[in-house]
Amino acid sequence: MNLGEGLRSALRKLTGAALIDEKSVKEFVRELQRTLISNDVNVKLVFGLSKKIEERALQEKPLPGVSPKEHVVKVVYEELSNLMGSEHEPKLEPQKILMLGLFGSGKTTTTVKLAKFFKGKGLKAGVIAADTYRPAAYEQLEQLAKKNDVPFYGNKDEKQAAKVVEEGLKKLSSNDVVIVDSSGRSAFDGELKEELISIDKALNPEERFLVISADIGQVAGRQAQEFNEAVPITSVIITKLDGSGKGGGALSAVSSTGSKVAFIGTGERMEDLELFDSKKYVGRLLGFPDLETLLDKMKKISEESEKTPEQLMEEKFTFKTFAEQLRQTRKMGPLKNVFGMLGMTDMPKEMMEQSEEKLNKYEVIINSMTPAEREDAKLLKKSRSRMERIARGSGTKPEEVRKLVSEFEKMEKMMNMFKKNRGFRKQMEKMMRGGMQMPGGM
Ligand code: GDP
Ligand code: MG
C-alpha cells in the first residue's frame, strides 16, 4: 500500500469510529506507524510523531465549535506536515545558483526546470554546464536548454569546472539568474568535494540547491548531511516524487537534518517543478486538498467570535485574499449570479461583465507576484518596474497588470464599504456557514 492509501485508510477508520477515545486513537497510531515504516520513514521519526499525535489528540481541548473528530484530523495533518519538513522560499531576484547532487539525481533536468521557473517570474535565467566529468553532460544540458529557449554556456575543451564557471559568468552576464549544473559521482567522495569547493569559490552563489531523488528514501538524510559538510547547502530539491513510494521517507529524513526543501520535481516535463509546501503535500496524501482552507476557516471563525466589528473592518484586503476570493467565487458560478444572489444589483457594470478569461488572466498575473507584493498592493501601485517584471513573468502586457491594480483598488474601496454594511455582512456569514461542511461526511 502506498503512503497516501495507507494514511487515508487509517484516517477513515478513525473518523468512522463511534467515539474518539484512547482505544480508537491508539489503534489509529499503530496503523499510521505500519504505513509510515513500510514507506521507508525512519523508525525513530515515526515513534516521535506517534507520541505527539497521541498526546495532542487525547489531551488538547478542541477549539470552540470544532468536533473531537475534526480536532484529531487537524492534529494528524499538522504533525504530518511538521514531519515532512519545512519550506525554503527562493528569492525572486537576481542571483547565482549552484546545483549539487549525485549521478542521476535529476540535477541537469532540474537546472533547466529552474531556469524556466525564474523566467515565469519575469527574471532572465541562463545555465552553465560545469559537469566536465561525465561524457555527454555538455550535450545533454545544451540540448535541453536550447529546446526550452534558455541561454546556455559550456566549454567542451575545458576540464576544470571552475574555469568554465568563470567564463560562463562573463558570457551570461546579461542574465538576472545564473544556474550552474555541476557534476556528480555515484557516491560522495573527496574528489567531488574538492571540485565542488572550487566551483563554489568561482561562483560565489546565493543559493546552493542539493538535488536528491526521492527513490533513495531515508538515505536522503545522510546525503544531505554529507554535502552540507562539504559546501553548506541552502536547501534541497527532491525529484521524482511522482514515481517513488519513498518520497515521505526522503522528505522526513531531510527535514530531520534541519535542511529545508525549496522545490519538488513531479515528472520529467519542464513544467513538473513545484515550490515545496509541506501542508499541501500532506493534504494531497490525505486526499483533502482543501483541508488547509478548511482549517483556516475553523481558525478564523473562532478568532472572529472574539473580534468586534471595528476590528473586522480593519482586516487588510490584499492580492492574496483577492486571488483566494476569485477562486472561491468561481466555484459558485458566474459572477453575475453570485452578486445577484447577494442582492448586489448596483455593482459597477464593468465588474459584472468580467469573463472567465479575464479572471484566469488575473490569476496568472497574481501568480507572478512575489509573496511580499501579494501582501502589500502599495508596492505595486508605486513601481512601474515591478509591474513590468510581473507582465513579463505572466506573459501579459504592463497595461493589463496596471488594469488589474486599478480594479483591485476599486475592489478595495468596495470591500471597505461592505464591511460597514451590516446586512451584507450577515449574508456573507450565512454563506460561509453553508460552505463549512467537512468533506467525506466527517
Ligand atoms: P543528473 O545526473 O543528476 O544530471 O540527472 P538528470 O537530470 O540527467 O536526470 C536523470 C533522469 O531522471 C532523467 O531521465 C530525467 O528525465 C529524470 N528525472 C529528473 N527529474 C525527474 C522527476 O521529477 N520525475 C521523473 N519522473 N523523472 C525525473
Ligand atoms: Mg547531469
Side-chain angles (χ1 to χ4, degrees):
M1 215 187 308
N2 76 32
L3 185 54
E5 281 165 14
L7 292 176
R8 287 194 295 276
S9 148
L11 202 59
R12 249 195 322 272
K13 272 183 220 155
L14 180 71
T15 55
L19 202 68
I20 298 288
D21 56 8
E22 198 167 329
K23 185 168 160 274
S24 56
V25 169
K26 284 218 151 92
E27 252 167 49
F28 166 75
V29 164
R30 264 198 301 277
E31 193 167 338
L32 182 74
Q33 290 172 342
R34 273 199 299 273
T35 292
L36 289 167
I37 290 170
S38 72
N39 281 280
D40 205 34
V41 178
N42 179 280
V43 174
K44 234 161 111 189
L45 295 180
V46 171
F47 285 127
L49 173 84
S50 316
K51 209 169 140 226
K52 269 193 229 142
I53 290 183
E54 223 171 271
E55 274 174 14
R56 288 190 58 195
L58 294 171
Q59 286 166 21
E60 246 174 42
K61 225 176 118 228
L63 292 169
V66 175
S67 74
K69 274 184 197 176
E70 287 166 346
H71 174 68
V72 181
V73 174
K74 178 172 173 275
V75 167
V76 172
Y77 176 68
E78 284 174 0
E79 291 302 334
L80 273 173
S81 305
N82 285 342
L83 176 80
M84 291 306 170
S86 48
E87 298 84 7
H88 167 83
E89 197 176 322
K91 294 198 180 74
L92 298 179
E93 56 189 39
Q95 61 190 299
K96 290 165 289 177
I97 299 172
L98 176 58
M99 305 292 280
L100 326 158
L102 298 181
F103 281 160
S105 59
K107 270 186 315 301
T108 305
T109 316
T110 310
T111 298
V112 182
K113 282 183 180 179
L114 264 184
K116 286 202 73 174
F117 166 83
F118 283 109
K119 202 167 149 192
K121 300 289 182 190
L123 292 159
K124 212 177 148 206
V127 301
I128 298 177
D131 180 355
T132 53
Y133 185 82
R134 232 198 202 179
Y138 174 100
E139 282 84 1
Q140 189 198 355
L141 184 63
E142 185 190 33
Q143 277 165 18
L144 209 52
K146 214 177 237 166
K147 209 167 123 194
N148 289 283
D149 263 333
V150 169
F152 164 87
Y153 179 79
N155 180 354
K156 264 195 278 195
D157 303 321
E158 179 57 66
K159 279 287 154 220
Q160 272 189 295
K163 237 359 201 322
V164 180
V165 171
E166 280 164 17
E167 294 165 6
L169 280 176
K170 285 187 200 125
K171 285 279 183 346
L172 295 178
S173 62
S174 67
N175 288 272
D176 302 311
V177 179
V178 175
I179 310 168
V180 173
D181 182 22
S182 68
S183 66
R185 294 292 186 277
S186 48
F188 192 83
D189 61 20
E191 193 188 52
L192 177 61
K193 180 174 167 176
E194 267 174 38
E195 193 175 310
L196 289 176
I197 290 173
S198 78
I199 296 180
D200 193 68
K201 237 171 114 190
L203 183 65
N204 191 21
E206 278 79 24
E207 294 274 21
R208 298 182 195 90
F209 287 138
L210 173 63
V211 183
I212 296 181
S213 168
D215 54 25
I216 68 169
Q218 59 175 297
V219 179
R222 206 180 60 224
Q223 216 175 83
Q225 258 165 346
E226 280 174 347
F227 273 88
N228 197 31
E229 277 158 22
V231 277
I233 56 174
T234 53
S235 72
V236 174
I237 299 179
I238 308 268
T239 63
K240 306 185 202 177
L241 264 182
D242 50 314
S244 171
K246 294 184 174 177
L251 281 166
S252 54
V254 164
S255 163
S256 75
T257 69
S259 293
K260 298 189 170 185
V261 177
F263 293 91
I264 52 176
T266 53
E268 296 196 49
R269 296 173 317 154
M270 290 299 111
E271 300 78 55
D272 299 332
L273 182 77
E274 285 176 35
L275 282 165
F276 177 63
D277 177 339
S278 64
K279 286 214 163 81
K280 203 165 131 192
Y281 177 74
V282 169
R284 259 191 237 162
L285 285 177
L286 295 181
F288 299 110
D290 274 332
L291 191 58
E292 202 185 358
T293 329
L294 196 74
L295 294 174
D296 258 2
K297 275 188 191 161
M298 279 191 206
K299 220 170 20 200
K300 269 206 195 99
I301 285 176
S302 69
E303 279 166 6
E304 272 172 18
S305 58
E306 285 145 36
K307 276 186 192 162
T308 64
E310 287 73 25
Q311 280 171 322
L312 270 176
M313 254 166 35
E314 275 160 23
E315 245 167 52
K316 226 175 132 200
F317 181 60
T318 65
F319 276 112
K320 200 168 146 197
T321 45
F322 185 35
E324 177 58 21
Q325 280 165 7
L326 283 178
R327 218 169 52 82
Q328 296 289 349
T329 310
R330 280 200 294 178
K331 270 199 216 146
M332 294 192 270
L335 268 185
K336 214 172 103 199
N337 302 356
V338 176
F339 287 133
M341 253 159 28
L342 295 170
M344 288 154 56
T345 41
D346 57 347
M347 292 287 287
K349 196 157 154 266
E350 232 187 311
M351 294 216 68
M352 290 290 223
E353 283 169 1
Q354 275 173 358
S355 60
E356 282 301 303
E357 206 181 311
K358 196 160 154 197
L359 295 190
N360 278 336
K361 194 163 261 180
Y362 282 177
E363 280 192 332
V364 177
I365 294 176
I366 295 174
N367 277 339
S368 278
M369 294 178 183
T370 65
E373 287 161 355
R374 261 175 242 150
E375 292 289 353
D376 185 2
K378 278 204 287 303
L379 286 175
L380 284 184
K381 289 176 197 167
K382 287 185 301 203
S383 165
R384 233 174 97 165
S385 65
R386 280 181 192 264
M387 288 204 227
E388 277 163 7
R389 195 207 77 237
I390 291 167
R392 269 200 310 278
S394 55
T396 56
K397 300 194 193 86
E399 296 88 75
E400 289 174 304
V401 179
R402 211 163 294 130
K403 181 103 199 291
L404 167 60
V405 173
S406 97
E407 267 182 34
F408 173 85
E409 284 177 314
K410 267 189 234 158
M411 287 281 282
E412 203 176 23
K413 278 200 200 108
M414 227 170 339
M415 291 306 283
N416 288 336
M417 216 168 73
F418 290 149
K419 278 179 191 161
K420 291 178 201 153
N421 180 332
R422 281 189 59 208
F424 174 78
R425 225 175 31 233
K426 279 235 171 71
Q427 260 170 320
M428 275 310 273
E429 280 164 10
K430 215 167 103 192
M431 242 175 59
M432 277 177 63
R433 269 198 300 277
M436 265 300 291
Q437 268 114 24
M438 292 286 276
M442 278 195 278

